Amino acid sequence: MTNILLLYLGICIMLAYFGWKKRGNTIEDFFTTKRQTGAIITFMTFSATLYSSFMLVGVPGFFYTHGIGSFAFIIFADILMGLLVYYTGRKFWEMSKEHNIITMTGFVEKRYRSRTAMIISLLISFAFLLPYISTQIIGLGIILSNALNVPVIVISIIVLIIIFLYSEMGGMRSVSWTDALQGTILVIVGLMLMCGIISYFGGIESFFMNVRNSNSELLSAPGPKGLFTMPMLFSFFLMIFLMPVTQPQLLMRFFLPKTKKALRTMLIAVPIYAILAIIPTIFIGFGAKLLDPNLVSGDMSFNTILQIFPDWIGALSIVGVVAASMSTADSQVLALASLVTRDLFKSKLRVARISILVILILVFILSINPPKLMVTLSILSFAGTLQLAPTLLGGLFWNRGTANGAIWSMITGIGTLITYQWFFTSPLGFHSAFWGFVVSTIVYILVSLRGKRMELLTTGGS
Amino acid sequence: MKKILLFLLGILAFLPFIPIKYNLSFFSIPPQLTIWVIIATLQFIGVMIFAYLTRGDWK
């Protein structure tokens, strides 16, 4: 186990070193590789960033606890994401090139000519992403400490140091190269486990027969606990489908490629990758249910399923979880650092490096003794950033969208999310994020219509 | 052609969330999953055709 893990970490550091050798000295180079990334690496870094350890640990846990509904909220969103890349990715890429935009909040500031709108979008990004990174590090620490018999805190420190090293050394170049490796490991591990599980239970037919005999409610929505009603599934679909626009670390990936044509690779490859990454999670979750139907938490499905595999596959699988966590966490740290450096302080490379360190220290502090609020915020990460969608999509396509519209849209969206999450029951069975999105969209339109028309940012000759 | 395809994909995006009782099953895969796999396959094919139809838009 230790050998495989060390080999993986060694390769990550080696890739970081190559990134460091090729890096330039500008902030654009550090955060976007000066738009010199090739099509395959752009697609791989996008996919690896999209699928965190949630994919190997959280989603199987959903299957284990809530059944087949988990398939719907993730697969449809990820397949149709290609369309979002076509309609938004192209425009973001063109704007980024013409106006030298390298961050999500930079786009908000330039499009709405409003520092207030930029600061609110930055605060929302921090409030919902920082806790998410911390819980990933905690989760990773727990899995590795069980496997290696090392305290969680030591694991967390080592992982954060490695992320720090390769983020600092080569910035986005190192992060995207390591992402490519990590994304590949994630898919290989998932497929390998799926094949093993199908074979262990005597084929697909026999596998599902066993699940039906174990608990037939798992095989239909809304599942044993009634979570996945159709309104709830649609809410989850919306949160995930809009992630490439609403999460800063994913939006940044649109600024990386050398040519716009590279984004076409994403339109084709993202749905293929989604299928390869998602289908194994059905077998991991249900397989764990068949092996041990009384786990304390569905998140333990991944560890449970490993008992039917030889040690070396178990070790490789744990490396897969480490890779999935690190590929998302490093991208999120880099994205948050870019927001602080470029948009908040309008500063230079040295501040970028310091801000990475400060963010990682914050992540570490939060992960040592996570406040209850932080755990809730991390669960609501996708829901919180969804409230940025009207501001970003409106800013991209609607020339009537105004700064006031954006500001009030973000504030009311988050307000509605909080209201229905903590104080009232969300109406009609939809997730509170859905109502936040509805309210923020209506407010964006109404407030904008009362204001002066603002020109859209030009995109390459238009 | 592109607009028709987008319209169909739009319908396919909402279809999985309409609560209908299905009774279609292959290889003992549960009916709900079977129909979702069929819709996902159609969506996938649709996105690939869309990528083909828009191949000239990336210059």
Side-chain angles (χ1 to χ4, degrees), chain A residues 68-73 75-77 79-80 82-83 85-87 90 204-205 208-209 212 219-221 230-231 233-234 237 260-261 263-264 267-269 271-272 275 282, chain B residues 2 6 9 12-14 16-21 25 27-33 35-37 39-41 43-44 46-48 50-59:
Chain A
I68 211 73
S70 323
F71 180 76
F73 84 75
I75 192 94
F76 300 119
I79 287 179
L80 293 175
L83 299 179
V85 173
Y86 175 80
Y87 282 104
R90 285 189 320 154
I204 293 178
E205 204 165 341
F208 281 109
M209 289 292 274
R212 182 171 292 118
L219 297 179
S220 63
M230 291 303 163
L233 281 177
F234 183 71
F237 165 79
K260 202 168 30 174
K261 235 178 167 179
L263 291 171
R264 186 167 182 260
L267 166 62
I268 297 166
I272 297 173
I275 291 170
I282 305 174
Chain B
K2 204 168 81 183
L6 266 183
L9 280 170
L12 281 175
F14 287 96
F17 308 109
I18 299 170
I20 306 169
K21 287 278 172 212
S25 178
F27 305 112
S28 283
I29 296 173
Q32 184 97 69
L33 184 60
I35 201 74
W36 280 342
V37 167
I39 296 173
T41 309
Q43 285 183 353
F44 179 75
V47 172
M48 292 304 127
F50 184 84
Y52 177 74
L53 292 176
T54 56
R55 65 195 180 284
D57 298 355
W58 299 89
K59 286 173 185 132

